[in-house]
Amino acid sequence: MRSEGLSKWNILLTPSGIEPTTFRLVFSTFNCIKNVREDALKYTCNIHIYKGGDRSLVSNYRPVSLASVVCKQMEHVLVLYIRQVYDKNDWLYEGQHGFRPGYSCEIQVNTVCQDIADSLDNGDKIDAILVDFSKAFDLVPHGRLLTKIANSGVDSMVVVWIREFLLGRTQRVRVRGQLSAEVRVTSGVPQGSVLGPFLFVDYVNDIWRNMESTIRIFADDCVIYRKNYK
């Protein structure tokens, strides 16, 4: 089955949660974990993509996880379901432009520029802070993330599946065909996975709370700005 075919599925919601047929399909994957090999679904091999700059610096490479194709098919189903729940409950912060259909980096930039231009036309001054979270995807604490997902309105079994997806993972790093020793992953969401970016967006979803300034986000990059009345 090709992953793009999953985007055409109609995953229905019922008053009690996920539609029964899809429920059985997704959560029968627990049997896959037991009957196939748990480490086949929870093990990833990390390769590093060059971003630019000095090639001798590790910080200039982006880690990408090569995960199980079977696991990615399961993730596609979960993401489609979670998006439906979030859209229904209007859960996601409207200023988040990353990893969401109908949103983009270009829309975020245009929105910020328009807000600033409107203020300048009115003779106002703008204070702004640009923030880039370091190692953002790698440092997400699993416990807090699962608490936020549980409070978002998704089916409790979806929370259980995501917990099993995150906990007990192991990884190796591959460089020039050589593999490092296997280590346990104790935090973060897998980069290169289908579900990982969506989980990160969920974790930072409440970043705007208790803030008087406007904040626009694209994944882990954000700009915070407001009028300066002094």
Side-chain angles (χ1 to χ4, degrees):
M1 179 185 298
R2 297 181 300 175
S3 60
E4 58 266 28
L6 289 170
S7 63
K8 301 177 183 178
W9 286 22
N10 182 23
I11 300 180
L12 300 177
L13 297 178
T14 67
S16 59
I18 192 169
E19 192 271 332
T21 302
T22 308
F23 185 94
R24 289 194 298 271
L25 170 66
V26 175
F27 299 112
S28 65
T29 59
F30 282 121
N31 293 327
C32 293
I33 294 177
K34 295 177 181 178
N35 296 333
V36 182
R37 280 178 59 195
E38 182 174 354
D39 59 353
L41 299 181
K42 293 193 174 188
Y43 165 81
T44 56
C45 178
N46 287 353
I47 62 173
H48 290 77
I49 307 299
Y50 175 63
K51 296 188 295 184
D54 187 348
R55 288 184 177 270
S56 66
L57 296 178
V58 175
S59 58
N60 289 331
Y61 292 81
R62 182 186 307 279
V64 175
S65 300
L66 302 180
S68 162
V69 174
V70 174
C71 187
K72 285 189 174 183
Q73 298 292 350
M74 304 174 194
E75 293 176 63
H76 275 290
V77 176
L78 264 295
V79 169
L80 287 173
Y81 163 71
I82 295 172
R83 276 180 176 160
Q84 285 194 15
V85 175
Y86 286 2
D87 289 345
K88 178 182 178 182
N89 297 338
D90 195 23
W91 174 255
L92 291 179
Y93 171 51
E94 59 88 19
Q96 173 62 262
H97 293 259
F99 310 114
R100 299 178 64 187
Y103 291 77
S104 67
C105 181
E106 291 80 3
I107 294 176
Q108 179 202 31
V109 172
N110 289 339
T111 302
V112 173
C113 289
Q114 187 62 56
D115 288 347
I116 294 175
D118 291 343
S119 295
L120 295 178
D121 288 343
N122 294 330
D124 300 320
K125 295 182 180 180
I126 295 289
D127 292 332
I129 301 175
L130 303 178
V131 180
D132 181 10
F133 297 105
S134 178
K135 303 294 182 182
F137 281 68
D138 298 329
L139 298 178
V140 174
H142 293 156
R144 293 180 184 177
L145 172 60
L146 291 169
T147 297
K148 291 185 176 185
I149 295 173
N151 293 332
S152 68
V154 300
D155 192 286
S156 60
M157 286 301 295
V158 173
V159 181
V160 172
W161 197 99
I162 294 175
R163 184 186 67 193
E164 293 297 318
F165 173 78
L166 290 174
L167 302 184
R169 299 188 69 88
T170 59
Q171 65 181 17
R172 288 183 174 182
V173 176
R174 186 176 70 192
V175 178
R176 297 179 180 177
Q178 300 297 313
L179 288 173
S180 70
E182 188 171 315
V183 296
R184 185 169 295 277
V185 179
T186 58
S187 67
V189 294
Q191 297 190 56
S193 66
V194 177
L195 192 56
F198 201 75
L199 294 179
F200 178 81
V201 168
D202 199 327
Y203 181 70
V204 300
N205 186 55
D206 58 358
I207 193 173
W208 60 275
R209 296 187 185 276
N210 302 316
M211 186 178 296
E212 297 179 359
S213 303
T214 300
I215 179 169
R216 302 288 179 184
I217 320 170
F218 188 87
D220 58 342
D221 298 314
C222 70
V223 55
I224 306 170
Y225 57 97
R226 68 177 178 181
K227 295 179 182 179
N228 185 339
Y229 295 101
K230 294 183 179 179

